Amino acid sequence: MWVTATLTAGCALLTACGSTQHSDAPAKKPGPVTVAKAHARVPVPRGDGSKVADDFNGDGHRDLVLNDLVKQQSHADDAGIGIVYGTKGGLRPGARQLLSPAKQAAATKGRLPAVFDAEESCDLDKDGFTDLVVSTDPPYDGQGQPPVPLQVLFGSPGGLTGKAVKLSVPARARAGNDWPDQPVCGDFDGDGANDLVLHASTSQLSYLRGPFTRKGAPRAAGQPLTAPGNVPTGPAADVNRDGYDDLLVREGGDASPSSVVYGGANGPARTGFALPAGADVAFGRFGKGERALDAAIGSQGETSLRYDLAGPRTAARGSLDVPGTVLDTGDFDGDGFDELVSSGSRLRVFRGRTGGLSASAASAVITVKPPATGTTRVLAVADLTGDGRADLAVRTYRGETKDTVAVYPGRKNGVVAAEPQVTFSTAEFL
């Protein structure tokens, strides 16, 4: 799942469970946007660079990345990656871009990839424009080390406009015959430049130090790092608040144990603590009084929270009975505490407060009404409107040819708006 969460620091006490309905008046449920009602195309705004995350055109406004675009016909080929560019006040669906392997991908042995999926985003070359790391399917005969499947699209004043380049992974940073994949961005060595961590082999990670050249080469790369698992997982976060981004590494599989690996001057090289098995892990500051970020772990229909992750105490302090195990965090109401978003069978927001997450107090749990009938998943928890509060972008699937994307702005009172600010369909990209 393509998700980027707003992460801050701290934590607090978890209390009892329950639920309340959103306090705002019920809004009319918006229907899916058909291609006939597609937003009129407008030029992508031009920027001159920024420090905003996911800002591919550098205009100071966050953009949204979309994989698995719906198709005009069932069983059609994957169209590619969609980008909706942000403007003042939020996303503008008319300022959209389709990234396809035919136009943007780099060929390998004269063959363009069929797979073209967004994997990670950050400013790799320190030019003020976010870059996009894409996964492809280069030809491979199964002999020896496979080629690197990752390519980089560099941001620019006009967005992601150029051809991708292949990510360079030096031979000394590889191990075994596994695919070098599962990229995670972060400043793991604290030098102000974004680095990349990749899966290398069993319990080994490739660590590529940034900044990167426009040819996709890292500033430096050493021998693979020993890791407590096989799957590096983003987004990176400074869990123990020491100035270095830290990395979550899963053992493998959809519901496996995981560990936090601390960043430092030598990168993510020191295992900090282990977390129990869970379908998802999200970090955030849910309350007051702790030194480090809290970890929420989605497992078997409930979410456990662990506290004081910078110190020796890592026992769970409580749990919430939630209807899903896919988790995200962000500060929707701007009070300095993160909310916990749980999606699955239902979409709920658990409010962060001084005393921590709670489901017992009034307005402690917000049930978000999906924008349409279907399976709803969170796309992003991020400040898409530029007001300093996180917003909630969700996508409701209604089959291979229909979907609805909706953005619910964060609110000082009420946590998230009851009605979407904007809706559109990924079919508009085609």
PDB file of all heavy atoms in Angstrom, residues 219-258:
ATOM      1  N   ARG A 219      26.188   8.214  -3.457  1.00  0.00           N
ATOM      2  CA  ARG A 219      27.467   8.826  -3.092  1.00  0.00           C
ATOM      3  C   ARG A 219      28.446   7.767  -2.609  1.00  0.00           C
ATOM      4  O   ARG A 219      29.649   7.839  -2.898  1.00  0.00           O
ATOM      5  CB  ARG A 219      27.244   9.884  -2.006  1.00  0.00           C
ATOM      6  CG  ARG A 219      28.537  10.502  -1.464  1.00  0.00           C
ATOM      7  CD  ARG A 219      28.254  11.564  -0.435  1.00  0.00           C
ATOM      8  NE  ARG A 219      27.596  11.056   0.746  1.00  0.00           N
ATOM      9  CZ  ARG A 219      28.216  10.494   1.779  1.00  0.00           C
ATOM     10  NH1 ARG A 219      29.535  10.342   1.761  1.00  0.00           N
ATOM     11  NH2 ARG A 219      27.538  10.063   2.825  1.00  0.00           N
ATOM     12  N   ALA A 220      27.935   6.785  -1.874  1.00  0.00           N
ATOM     13  CA  ALA A 220      28.795   5.728  -1.345  1.00  0.00           C
ATOM     14  C   ALA A 220      27.944   4.512  -1.021  1.00  0.00           C
ATOM     15  O   ALA A 220      26.725   4.622  -0.798  1.00  0.00           O
ATOM     16  CB  ALA A 220      29.542   6.206  -0.097  1.00  0.00           C
ATOM     17  N   ALA A 221      28.562   3.356  -0.985  1.00  0.00           N
ATOM     18  CA  ALA A 221      27.892   2.114  -0.602  1.00  0.00           C
ATOM     19  C   ALA A 221      28.951   1.116  -0.163  1.00  0.00           C
ATOM     20  O   ALA A 221      29.935   0.895  -0.872  1.00  0.00           O
ATOM     21  CB  ALA A 221      27.073   1.549  -1.758  1.00  0.00           C
ATOM     22  N   GLY A 222      28.752   0.518   1.008  1.00  0.00           N
ATOM     23  CA  GLY A 222      29.700  -0.464   1.518  1.00  0.00           C
ATOM     24  C   GLY A 222      29.149  -1.864   1.463  1.00  0.00           C
ATOM     25  O   GLY A 222      28.203  -2.155   0.724  1.00  0.00           O
ATOM     26  N   GLN A 223      29.710  -2.725   2.263  1.00  0.00           N
ATOM     27  CA  GLN A 223      29.241  -4.096   2.343  1.00  0.00           C
ATOM     28  C   GLN A 223      27.823  -4.132   2.912  1.00  0.00           C
ATOM     29  O   GLN A 223      27.416  -3.250   3.673  1.00  0.00           O
ATOM     30  CB  GLN A 223      30.171  -4.918   3.235  1.00  0.00           C
ATOM     31  CG  GLN A 223      31.588  -5.051   2.703  1.00  0.00           C
ATOM     32  CD  GLN A 223      31.659  -5.873   1.427  1.00  0.00           C
ATOM     33  OE1 GLN A 223      30.965  -6.892   1.304  1.00  0.00           O
ATOM     34  NE2 GLN A 223      32.480  -5.438   0.484  1.00  0.00           N
ATOM     35  N   PRO A 224      27.037  -5.168   2.560  1.00  0.00           N
ATOM     36  CA  PRO A 224      25.680  -5.267   3.099  1.00  0.00           C
ATOM     37  C   PRO A 224      25.678  -5.274   4.629  1.00  0.00           C
ATOM     38  O   PRO A 224      26.597  -5.792   5.263  1.00  0.00           O
ATOM     39  CB  PRO A 224      25.167  -6.594   2.539  1.00  0.00           C
ATOM     40  CG  PRO A 224      25.966  -6.809   1.299  1.00  0.00           C
ATOM     41  CD  PRO A 224      27.330  -6.250   1.606  1.00  0.00           C
ATOM     42  N   LEU A 225      24.624  -4.694   5.200  1.00  0.00           N
ATOM     43  CA  LEU A 225      24.470  -4.655   6.642  1.00  0.00           C
ATOM     44  C   LEU A 225      23.698  -5.873   7.122  1.00  0.00           C
ATOM     45  O   LEU A 225      22.726  -6.292   6.491  1.00  0.00           O
ATOM     46  CB  LEU A 225      23.720  -3.382   7.054  1.00  0.00           C
ATOM     47  CG  LEU A 225      24.337  -2.047   6.632  1.00  0.00           C
ATOM     48  CD1 LEU A 225      23.419  -0.902   7.030  1.00  0.00           C
ATOM     49  CD2 LEU A 225      25.717  -1.881   7.249  1.00  0.00           C
ATOM     50  N   THR A 226      24.112  -6.423   8.258  1.00  0.00           N
ATOM     51  CA  THR A 226      23.354  -7.514   8.870  1.00  0.00           C
ATOM     52  C   THR A 226      22.056  -6.965   9.454  1.00  0.00           C
ATOM     53  O   THR A 226      22.042  -5.914  10.091  1.00  0.00           O
ATOM     54  CB  THR A 226      24.180  -8.183   9.973  1.00  0.00           C
ATOM     55  OG1 THR A 226      25.391  -8.680   9.409  1.00  0.00           O
ATOM     56  CG2 THR A 226      23.409  -9.332  10.613  1.00  0.00           C
ATOM     57  N   ALA A 227      20.957  -7.671   9.212  1.00  0.00           N
ATOM     58  CA  ALA A 227      19.642  -7.176   9.618  1.00  0.00           C
ATOM     59  C   ALA A 227      18.869  -8.253  10.372  1.00  0.00           C
ATOM     60  O   ALA A 227      19.118  -9.451  10.192  1.00  0.00           O
ATOM     61  CB  ALA A 227      18.848  -6.738   8.389  1.00  0.00           C
ATOM     62  N   PRO A 228      17.904  -7.844  11.216  1.00  0.00           N
ATOM     63  CA  PRO A 228      17.095  -8.805  11.966  1.00  0.00           C
ATOM     64  C   PRO A 228      15.908  -9.328  11.168  1.00  0.00           C
ATOM     65  O   PRO A 228      14.944  -9.834  11.730  1.00  0.00           O
ATOM     66  CB  PRO A 228      16.629  -7.985  13.171  1.00  0.00           C
ATOM     67  CG  PRO A 228      16.522  -6.594  12.630  1.00  0.00           C
ATOM     68  CD  PRO A 228      17.626  -6.451  11.631  1.00  0.00           C
ATOM     69  N   GLY A 229      15.934  -9.182   9.852  1.00  0.00           N
ATOM     70  CA  GLY A 229      14.841  -9.626   9.003  1.00  0.00           C
ATOM     71  C   GLY A 229      15.190  -9.437   7.551  1.00  0.00           C
ATOM     72  O   GLY A 229      16.318  -9.090   7.195  1.00  0.00           O
ATOM     73  N   ASN A 230      14.199  -9.628   6.681  1.00  0.00           N
ATOM     74  CA  ASN A 230      14.441  -9.616   5.244  1.00  0.00           C
ATOM     75  C   ASN A 230      13.752  -8.484   4.498  1.00  0.00           C
ATOM     76  O   ASN A 230      14.094  -8.227   3.343  1.00  0.00           O
ATOM     77  CB  ASN A 230      13.974 -10.944   4.627  1.00  0.00           C
ATOM     78  CG  ASN A 230      14.764 -12.126   5.136  1.00  0.00           C
ATOM     79  OD1 ASN A 230      15.972 -12.039   5.321  1.00  0.00           O
ATOM     80  ND2 ASN A 230      14.081 -13.232   5.385  1.00  0.00           N
ATOM     81  N   VAL A 231      12.779  -7.820   5.116  1.00  0.00           N
ATOM     82  CA  VAL A 231      11.962  -6.859   4.382  1.00  0.00           C
ATOM     83  C   VAL A 231      12.043  -5.485   5.044  1.00  0.00           C
ATOM     84  O   VAL A 231      11.371  -5.221   6.051  1.00  0.00           O
ATOM     85  CB  VAL A 231      10.482  -7.313   4.325  1.00  0.00           C
ATOM     86  CG1 VAL A 231       9.672  -6.355   3.454  1.00  0.00           C
ATOM     87  CG2 VAL A 231      10.377  -8.737   3.790  1.00  0.00           C
ATOM     88  N   PRO A 232      12.869  -4.561   4.502  1.00  0.00           N
ATOM     89  CA  PRO A 232      12.832  -3.187   5.020  1.00  0.00           C
ATOM     90  C   PRO A 232      11.487  -2.549   4.684  1.00  0.00           C
ATOM     91  O   PRO A 232      10.962  -2.731   3.590  1.00  0.00           O
ATOM     92  CB  PRO A 232      13.989  -2.505   4.273  1.00  0.00           C
ATOM     93  CG  PRO A 232      14.207  -3.332   3.052  1.00  0.00           C
ATOM     94  CD  PRO A 232      13.821  -4.732   3.399  1.00  0.00           C
ATOM     95  N   THR A 233      10.934  -1.825   5.643  1.00  0.00           N
ATOM     96  CA  THR A 233       9.572  -1.322   5.506  1.00  0.00           C
ATOM     97  C   THR A 233       9.514   0.159   5.863  1.00  0.00           C
ATOM     98  O   THR A 233       9.999   0.573   6.917  1.00  0.00           O
ATOM     99  CB  THR A 233       8.618  -2.109   6.426  1.00  0.00           C
ATOM    100  OG1 THR A 233       8.736  -3.504   6.129  1.00  0.00           O
ATOM    101  CG2 THR A 233       7.176  -1.672   6.231  1.00  0.00           C
ATOM    102  N   GLY A 234       8.919   0.963   5.002  1.00  0.00           N
ATOM    103  CA  GLY A 234       8.780   2.395   5.248  1.00  0.00           C
ATOM    104  C   GLY A 234       7.408   2.747   5.775  1.00  0.00           C
ATOM    105  O   GLY A 234       6.533   1.894   5.908  1.00  0.00           O
ATOM    106  N   PRO A 235       7.209   4.020   6.129  1.00  0.00           N
ATOM    107  CA  PRO A 235       8.197   5.087   6.049  1.00  0.00           C
ATOM    108  C   PRO A 235       9.180   5.060   7.209  1.00  0.00           C
ATOM    109  O   PRO A 235       8.852   4.615   8.301  1.00  0.00           O
ATOM    110  CB  PRO A 235       7.342   6.355   6.110  1.00  0.00           C
ATOM    111  CG  PRO A 235       6.148   5.964   6.916  1.00  0.00           C
ATOM    112  CD  PRO A 235       5.869   4.531   6.556  1.00  0.00           C
ATOM    113  N   ALA A 236      10.411   5.541   6.940  1.00  0.00           N
ATOM    114  CA  ALA A 236      11.406   5.661   8.006  1.00  0.00           C
ATOM    115  C   ALA A 236      10.980   6.750   8.980  1.00  0.00           C
ATOM    116  O   ALA A 236      10.269   7.690   8.616  1.00  0.00           O
ATOM    117  CB  ALA A 236      12.774   5.991   7.407  1.00  0.00           C
ATOM    118  N   ALA A 237      11.417   6.645  10.224  1.00  0.00           N
ATOM    119  CA  ALA A 237      11.076   7.633  11.245  1.00  0.00           C
ATOM    120  C   ALA A 237      12.156   7.647  12.319  1.00  0.00           C
ATOM    121  O   ALA A 237      12.793   6.623  12.574  1.00  0.00           O
ATOM    122  CB  ALA A 237       9.726   7.298  11.887  1.00  0.00           C
ATOM    123  N   ASP A 238      12.367   8.790  12.919  1.00  0.00           N
ATOM    124  CA  ASP A 238      13.323   8.896  14.025  1.00  0.00           C
ATOM    125  C   ASP A 238      12.610   8.454  15.298  1.00  0.00           C
ATOM    126  O   ASP A 238      12.087   9.267  16.061  1.00  0.00           O
ATOM    127  CB  ASP A 238      13.835  10.336  14.141  1.00  0.00           C
ATOM    128  CG  ASP A 238      14.912  10.483  15.208  1.00  0.00           C
ATOM    129  OD1 ASP A 238      15.297   9.466  15.818  1.00  0.00           O
ATOM    130  OD2 ASP A 238      15.352  11.627  15.442  1.00  0.00           O
ATOM    131  N   VAL A 239      12.596   7.163  15.540  1.00  0.00           N
ATOM    132  CA  VAL A 239      11.820   6.586  16.634  1.00  0.00           C
ATOM    133  C   VAL A 239      12.356   7.029  17.991  1.00  0.00           C
ATOM    134  O   VAL A 239      11.593   7.384  18.892  1.00  0.00           O
ATOM    135  CB  VAL A 239      11.807   5.048  16.521  1.00  0.00           C
ATOM    136  CG1 VAL A 239      11.127   4.425  17.745  1.00  0.00           C
ATOM    137  CG2 VAL A 239      11.099   4.611  15.255  1.00  0.00           C
ATOM    138  N   ASN A 240      13.675   7.025  18.160  1.00  0.00           N
ATOM    139  CA  ASN A 240      14.247   7.341  19.471  1.00  0.00           C
ATOM    140  C   ASN A 240      14.711   8.791  19.588  1.00  0.00           C
ATOM    141  O   ASN A 240      15.357   9.159  20.568  1.00  0.00           O
ATOM    142  CB  ASN A 240      15.403   6.391  19.794  1.00  0.00           C
ATOM    143  CG  ASN A 240      16.508   6.446  18.742  1.00  0.00           C
ATOM    144  OD1 ASN A 240      16.348   7.043  17.687  1.00  0.00           O
ATOM    145  ND2 ASN A 240      17.631   5.813  19.048  1.00  0.00           N
ATOM    146  N   ARG A 241      14.395   9.617  18.598  1.00  0.00           N
ATOM    147  CA  ARG A 241      14.609  11.065  18.640  1.00  0.00           C
ATOM    148  C   ARG A 241      16.083  11.426  18.884  1.00  0.00           C
ATOM    149  O   ARG A 241      16.404  12.321  19.658  1.00  0.00           O
ATOM    150  CB  ARG A 241      13.718  11.696  19.709  1.00  0.00           C
ATOM    151  CG  ARG A 241      12.239  11.447  19.488  1.00  0.00           C
ATOM    152  CD  ARG A 241      11.394  12.013  20.603  1.00  0.00           C
ATOM    153  NE  ARG A 241      11.451  13.476  20.616  1.00  0.00           N
ATOM    154  CZ  ARG A 241      10.844  14.227  21.529  1.00  0.00           C
ATOM    155  NH1 ARG A 241      10.154  13.649  22.507  1.00  0.00           N
ATOM    156  NH2 ARG A 241      10.921  15.541  21.487  1.00  0.00           N
ATOM    157  N   ASP A 242      16.990  10.763  18.143  1.00  0.00           N
ATOM    158  CA  ASP A 242      18.407  11.082  18.285  1.00  0.00           C
ATOM    159  C   ASP A 242      18.957  11.819  17.060  1.00  0.00           C
ATOM    160  O   ASP A 242      20.161  12.038  16.952  1.00  0.00           O
ATOM    161  CB  ASP A 242      19.222   9.818  18.544  1.00  0.00           C
ATOM    162  CG  ASP A 242      19.156   8.828  17.374  1.00  0.00           C
ATOM    163  OD1 ASP A 242      18.383   9.066  16.421  1.00  0.00           O
ATOM    164  OD2 ASP A 242      19.875   7.809  17.422  1.00  0.00           O
ATOM    165  N   GLY A 243      18.089  12.184  16.113  1.00  0.00           N
ATOM    166  CA  GLY A 243      18.511  12.908  14.932  1.00  0.00           C
ATOM    167  C   GLY A 243      18.798  12.043  13.724  1.00  0.00           C
ATOM    168  O   GLY A 243      19.107  12.573  12.653  1.00  0.00           O
ATOM    169  N   TYR A 244      18.687  10.725  13.863  1.00  0.00           N
ATOM    170  CA  TYR A 244      18.897   9.806  12.746  1.00  0.00           C
ATOM    171  C   TYR A 244      17.581   9.076  12.455  1.00  0.00           C
ATOM    172  O   TYR A 244      16.893   8.629  13.376  1.00  0.00           O
ATOM    173  CB  TYR A 244      19.958   8.761  13.075  1.00  0.00           C
ATOM    174  CG  TYR A 244      21.320   9.312  13.419  1.00  0.00           C
ATOM    175  CD1 TYR A 244      21.704   9.469  14.753  1.00  0.00           C
ATOM    176  CD2 TYR A 244      22.216   9.664  12.420  1.00  0.00           C
ATOM    177  CE1 TYR A 244      22.959   9.958  15.083  1.00  0.00           C
ATOM    178  CE2 TYR A 244      23.477  10.157  12.740  1.00  0.00           C
ATOM    179  CZ  TYR A 244      23.843  10.307  14.066  1.00  0.00           C
ATOM    180  OH  TYR A 244      25.084  10.802  14.392  1.00  0.00           O
ATOM    181  N   ASP A 245      17.240   8.934  11.172  1.00  0.00           N
ATOM    182  CA  ASP A 245      16.081   8.128  10.837  1.00  0.00           C
ATOM    183  C   ASP A 245      16.348   6.669  11.177  1.00  0.00           C
ATOM    184  O   ASP A 245      17.478   6.173  11.028  1.00  0.00           O
ATOM    185  CB  ASP A 245      15.756   8.248   9.344  1.00  0.00           C
ATOM    186  CG  ASP A 245      14.991   9.524   9.019  1.00  0.00           C
ATOM    187  OD1 ASP A 245      14.439  10.135   9.956  1.00  0.00           O
ATOM    188  OD2 ASP A 245      14.952   9.908   7.832  1.00  0.00           O
ATOM    189  N   ASP A 246      15.311   5.981  11.630  1.00  0.00           N
ATOM    190  CA  ASP A 246      15.386   4.571  11.983  1.00  0.00           C
ATOM    191  C   ASP A 246      14.548   3.768  11.001  1.00  0.00           C
ATOM    192  O   ASP A 246      13.673   4.289  10.303  1.00  0.00           O
ATOM    193  CB  ASP A 246      14.896   4.360  13.411  1.00  0.00           C
ATOM    194  CG  ASP A 246      15.629   5.247  14.407  1.00  0.00           C
ATOM    195  OD1 ASP A 246      16.864   5.327  14.320  1.00  0.00           O
ATOM    196  OD2 ASP A 246      14.966   5.884  15.248  1.00  0.00           O
ATOM    197  N   LEU A 247      14.791   2.461  10.961  1.00  0.00           N
ATOM    198  CA  LEU A 247      14.206   1.596   9.944  1.00  0.00           C
ATOM    199  C   LEU A 247      13.462   0.438  10.590  1.00  0.00           C
ATOM    200  O   LEU A 247      13.975  -0.203  11.511  1.00  0.00           O
ATOM    201  CB  LEU A 247      15.328   1.046   9.050  1.00  0.00           C
ATOM    202  CG  LEU A 247      14.937   0.099   7.927  1.00  0.00           C
ATOM    203  CD1 LEU A 247      14.170   0.839   6.844  1.00  0.00           C
ATOM    204  CD2 LEU A 247      16.191  -0.554   7.341  1.00  0.00           C
ATOM    205  N   LEU A 248      12.262   0.161  10.113  1.00  0.00           N
ATOM    206  CA  LEU A 248      11.522  -1.029  10.518  1.00  0.00           C
ATOM    207  C   LEU A 248      11.854  -2.156   9.546  1.00  0.00           C
ATOM    208  O   LEU A 248      11.761  -1.979   8.325  1.00  0.00           O
ATOM    209  CB  LEU A 248      10.019  -0.762  10.525  1.00  0.00           C
ATOM    210  CG  LEU A 248       9.135  -1.933  10.972  1.00  0.00           C
ATOM    211  CD1 LEU A 248       9.248  -2.137  12.478  1.00  0.00           C
ATOM    212  CD2 LEU A 248       7.684  -1.708  10.570  1.00  0.00           C
ATOM    213  N   VAL A 249      12.246  -3.309  10.080  1.00  0.00           N
ATOM    214  CA  VAL A 249      12.577  -4.462   9.253  1.00  0.00           C
ATOM    215  C   VAL A 249      11.693  -5.624   9.686  1.00  0.00           C
ATOM    216  O   VAL A 249      11.726  -6.049  10.845  1.00  0.00           O
ATOM    217  CB  VAL A 249      14.065  -4.849   9.382  1.00  0.00           C
ATOM    218  CG1 VAL A 249      14.372  -6.062   8.506  1.00  0.00           C
ATOM    219  CG2 VAL A 249      14.958  -3.675   8.991  1.00  0.00           C
ATOM    220  N   ARG A 250      10.919  -6.152   8.749  1.00  0.00           N
ATOM    221  CA  ARG A 250      10.065  -7.302   9.037  1.00  0.00           C
ATOM    222  C   ARG A 250      10.827  -8.583   8.723  1.00  0.00           C
ATOM    223  O   ARG A 250      11.679  -8.618   7.832  1.00  0.00           O
ATOM    224  CB  ARG A 250       8.780  -7.240   8.212  1.00  0.00           C
ATOM    225  CG  ARG A 250       7.955  -5.979   8.456  1.00  0.00           C
ATOM    226  CD  ARG A 250       6.676  -5.992   7.640  1.00  0.00           C
ATOM    227  NE  ARG A 250       5.730  -6.969   8.151  1.00  0.00           N
ATOM    228  CZ  ARG A 250       4.842  -6.727   9.113  1.00  0.00           C
ATOM    229  NH1 ARG A 250       4.787  -5.534   9.674  1.00  0.00           N
ATOM    230  NH2 ARG A 250       4.026  -7.651   9.518  1.00  0.00           N
ATOM    231  N   GLU A 251      10.490  -9.637   9.459  1.00  0.00           N
ATOM    232  CA  GLU A 251      11.148 -10.923   9.197  1.00  0.00           C
ATOM    233  C   GLU A 251      10.750 -11.463   7.832  1.00  0.00           C
ATOM    234  O   GLU A 251      11.535 -12.121   7.160  1.00  0.00           O
ATOM    235  CB  GLU A 251      10.801 -11.927  10.299  1.00  0.00           C
ATOM    236  CG  GLU A 251      11.467 -11.611  11.640  1.00  0.00           C
ATOM    237  CD  GLU A 251      11.229 -12.688  12.675  1.00  0.00           C
ATOM    238  OE1 GLU A 251      10.669 -13.756  12.311  1.00  0.00           O
ATOM    239  OE2 GLU A 251      11.586 -12.485  13.845  1.00  0.00           O
ATOM    240  N   GLY A 252       9.512 -11.188   7.428  1.00  0.00           N
ATOM    241  CA  GLY A 252       9.020 -11.660   6.139  1.00  0.00           C
ATOM    242  C   GLY A 252       7.578 -12.096   6.264  1.00  0.00           C
ATOM    243  O   GLY A 252       7.120 -12.496   7.325  1.00  0.00           O
ATOM    244  N   GLY A 253       6.819 -11.995   5.165  1.00  0.00           N
ATOM    245  CA  GLY A 253       5.417 -12.387   5.207  1.00  0.00           C
ATOM    246  C   GLY A 253       4.521 -11.238   5.606  1.00  0.00           C
ATOM    247  O   GLY A 253       4.964 -10.151   5.983  1.00  0.00           O
ATOM    248  N   ASP A 254       3.201 -11.492   5.541  1.00  0.00           N
ATOM    249  CA  ASP A 254       2.219 -10.438   5.774  1.00  0.00           C
ATOM    250  C   ASP A 254       1.946 -10.173   7.249  1.00  0.00           C
ATOM    251  O   ASP A 254       1.422  -9.129   7.602  1.00  0.00           O
ATOM    252  CB  ASP A 254       0.897 -10.800   5.080  1.00  0.00           C
ATOM    253  CG  ASP A 254       1.031 -10.819   3.565  1.00  0.00           C
ATOM    254  OD1 ASP A 254       1.901 -10.089   3.047  1.00  0.00           O
ATOM    255  OD2 ASP A 254       0.283 -11.572   2.920  1.00  0.00           O
ATOM    256  N   ALA A 255       2.252 -11.113   8.118  1.00  0.00           N
ATOM    257  CA  ALA A 255       1.976 -10.935   9.546  1.00  0.00           C
ATOM    258  C   ALA A 255       3.138 -11.491  10.361  1.00  0.00           C
ATOM    259  O   ALA A 255       2.972 -12.389  11.188  1.00  0.00           O
ATOM    260  CB  ALA A 255       0.669 -11.612   9.933  1.00  0.00           C
ATOM    261  N   SER A 256       4.302 -10.937  10.137  1.00  0.00           N
ATOM    262  CA  SER A 256       5.506 -11.463  10.788  1.00  0.00           C
ATOM    263  C   SER A 256       5.975 -10.533  11.890  1.00  0.00           C
ATOM    264  O   SER A 256       5.589  -9.369  11.943  1.00  0.00           O
ATOM    265  CB  SER A 256       6.619 -11.621   9.753  1.00  0.00           C
ATOM    266  OG  SER A 256       7.071 -10.353   9.310  1.00  0.00           O
ATOM    267  N   PRO A 257       6.836 -11.034  12.778  1.00  0.00           N
ATOM    268  CA  PRO A 257       7.480 -10.132  13.737  1.00  0.00           C
ATOM    269  C   PRO A 257       8.366  -9.130  12.998  1.00  0.00           C
ATOM    270  O   PRO A 257       8.729  -9.330  11.840  1.00  0.00           O
ATOM    271  CB  PRO A 257       8.317 -11.086  14.602  1.00  0.00           C
ATOM    272  CG  PRO A 257       7.722 -12.436  14.384  1.00  0.00           C
ATOM    273  CD  PRO A 257       7.209 -12.433  12.978  1.00  0.00           C
ATOM    274  N   SER A 258       8.715  -8.054  13.692  1.00  0.00           N
ATOM    275  CA  SER A 258       9.563  -7.029  13.093  1.00  0.00           C
ATOM    276  C   SER A 258      10.468  -6.443  14.159  1.00  0.00           C
ATOM    277  O   SER A 258      10.272  -6.672  15.354  1.00  0.00           O
ATOM    278  CB  SER A 258       8.717  -5.936  12.443  1.00  0.00           C
ATOM    279  OG  SER A 258       7.832  -5.355  13.388  1.00  0.00           O
TER     280      SER A 258
END
